[in-house]
Amino acid sequence: MRSYSSISTRDFMWNNLTGTIPKEIGHITSLRLLLLNGNKLSGSLPDELGNLTDMNRLQLDENQLSGSVPESLANMINVRHLHMNNNSFTGQLPSKLSNLSNLMHLQLDNNNFSGNGIPSTYENLPRLVKLSLRNCSLQGAIPYLNSIPSQSRKRKTGIIAAIIIGAAAAVLAITAITMLLIFRRNSKYMHLISRKRTSSNVCIKIDGVKAFTLKELTHATNKFDISTKVGEGGYGNVYKGILSDETFVAVKRAGENSLQGQKEFLTEIELLSRLHHRNLVSLLGYCSEEGEQDPWASKPVLHLTNLSPAEGRDNTFFGTM
């Protein structure tokens, strides 16, 4: 046994081991688990078991052990589980077991502590959650074991607290995500409003270039109906339209992803107003309402994309057909 002093576990469960538990096992002070249940061990427990101060679990169930439970077990200051069911222990239950401040399970079912009672000192076991003494021929009063329901309440309280904390965290996370989405949506909306307000201030005075209203454009293209669409490019779609004076026009309305700004738009309007060639569409007008900066041109729309390499986001070109 001395050569195995560093072993922490001895597991011999459910064999046919016989004889007594050797006292030398008390020299293996590193033992934390000693599992001997389900054998045919007999005799009394050696006092040397009390030397196993690192012991966490001692299982001796389903054997033929007899004699009294030694008080030296009270020296196992770290033990949490003492399982000794279905043996033939007699005498008194050791009152000193109440010193085991970490003990959670004490199980001694089906033994023969005849004529004796449960020590009142067991009331002081602070972490005890299970005390099982069925069929042990005990007598006398039952001590007030208030630690057991107290521990149960603490566990339930802990579970409830964990549920509440988890639910609160989930609500906070959902709220944060919702607020972030709302913020992003509002930021995008305010950005669009800002662009429209800026664009609405565009004022161009060029001979032969007319400022049209968005209402006129919308009416001319039947609300930019898909049936009037005659082309598209990287900067927007082109629609065929008819003005109130029955002039046929091509209207280019910029897409939302176009990056041309107001300055570039104004430069392009001025440039288009100066271009005059039979193979190029000439500028007829523009619209700057509600972010719709719309240059209009007077040739077939298929020639429109050749006018400028800087077709912008808010630009709509149109011309006579």
Side-chain angles (χ1 to χ4, degrees):
M1 290 290 182
R2 294 180 184 275
S3 62
Y4 299 104
S5 58
S6 62
I7 294 176
S8 62
T9 301
R10 284 289 190 178
D11 185 352
F12 301 108
M13 295 190 299
W14 305 108
N15 287 289
N16 289 308
L17 299 177
T18 59
T20 61
I21 297 175
K23 65 180 181 179
E24 288 80 8
I25 204 167
H27 298 153
I28 310 177
T29 55
S30 59
L31 269 181
R32 299 186 70 249
L33 290 123
L34 180 56
L35 311 176
L36 297 169
N37 48 301
N39 286 286
K40 297 178 181 179
L41 299 170
S42 59
S44 59
L45 297 180
D47 289 335
E48 285 76 9
L49 288 177
N51 297 330
L52 306 176
T53 55
D54 287 340
M55 183 66 66
N56 179 280
R57 180 185 289 265
L58 176 62
Q59 293 186 186
L60 304 172
D61 312 270
E62 301 287 344
N63 280 287
Q64 300 168 11
L65 298 168
S66 59
S68 61
V69 177
E71 290 192 351
S72 63
L73 297 186
N75 296 325
M76 296 180 178
I77 56 176
N78 290 302
V79 73
R80 295 188 177 188
H81 301 270
L82 283 177
H83 297 182
M84 294 181 280
N85 298 321
N86 300 308
N87 282 285
S88 299
F89 291 115
T90 58
Q92 295 183 345
L93 292 169
S95 62
K96 288 187 177 181
L97 292 184
S98 61
N99 295 332
L100 300 175
S101 58
N102 292 305
L103 186 62
M104 300 176 66
H105 290 180
L106 178 57
Q107 299 181 205
L108 291 161
D109 296 340
N110 300 314
N111 284 286
N112 189 20
F113 303 105
S114 179
N116 297 300
I118 303 172
S120 60
T121 55
Y122 286 9
E123 297 178 3
N124 302 320
L125 288 166
R127 301 188 65 184
L128 189 67
V129 295
K130 185 173 184 180
L131 176 61
S132 186
L133 296 168
R134 293 176 294 182
N135 194 28
C136 287
S137 301
L138 294 167
Q139 297 181 8
I142 300 175
Y144 179 58
L145 300 172
N146 63 333
S147 63
I148 295 179
S150 174
Q151 291 295 329
S152 179
R153 285 195 299 271
K154 287 181 180 178
R155 287 192 171 212
K156 290 181 179 179
T157 302
I159 293 173
I160 293 173
I163 293 173
I164 293 174
I165 292 173
V171 170
L172 288 175
I174 293 172
T175 302
I177 293 172
T178 303
M179 292 181 66
L180 178 61
L181 294 175
I182 293 174
F183 175 77
R184 287 183 176 179
R185 185 183 66 181
N186 289 344
S187 296
K188 183 177 180 180
Y189 176 74
M190 294 304 296
H191 176 71
L192 292 175
I193 292 297
S194 177
R195 285 181 57 87
K196 288 183 177 182
R197 288 177 177 175
T198 301
S199 300
S200 64
N201 294 327
V202 174
C203 183
I204 303 173
K205 294 184 178 179
I206 301 175
D207 292 339
V209 177
K210 179 182 177 181
F212 289 83
T213 66
L214 180 60
K215 184 177 181 180
E216 289 176 296
L217 282 178
T218 303
H219 180 74
T221 59
N222 193 23
K223 300 180 180 180
F224 295 98
D225 188 85
I226 190 66
S227 63
T228 66
K229 181 179 174 181
V230 293
E232 63 179 296
Y235 299 98
N237 298 326
V238 181
Y239 301 86
K240 178 175 63 176
I242 304 176
L243 298 180
S244 58
D245 62 358
E246 297 186 355
T247 300
F248 287 88
V249 294
V251 182
K252 192 194 78 173
R253 191 181 195 186
E256 292 184 358
N257 296 323
S258 179
L259 301 177
Q260 187 181 48
Q262 180 177 325
K263 182 178 179 181
E264 291 80 4
F265 167 70
L266 294 175
T267 301
E268 187 173 2
I269 294 297
E270 184 176 359
L271 177 62
L272 291 176
S273 68
R274 298 176 181 177
L275 291 175
H276 299 284
H277 191 276
R278 63 182 181 180
N279 294 325
L280 294 177
V281 289
S282 59
L283 182 67
L284 180 62
Y286 68 93
C287 173
S288 62
E289 288 185 9
E290 301 182 25
E292 301 281 349
Q293 300 171 352
D294 307 319
W296 292 25
S298 61
K299 287 290 182 180
V301 68
L302 294 180
H303 293 277
L304 182 59
T305 53
N306 295 324
L307 283 176
S308 171
E311 296 175 5
R313 174 175 180 175
D314 292 318
N315 294 350
T316 303
F317 293 85
F318 67 93
T320 58
M321 298 294 289

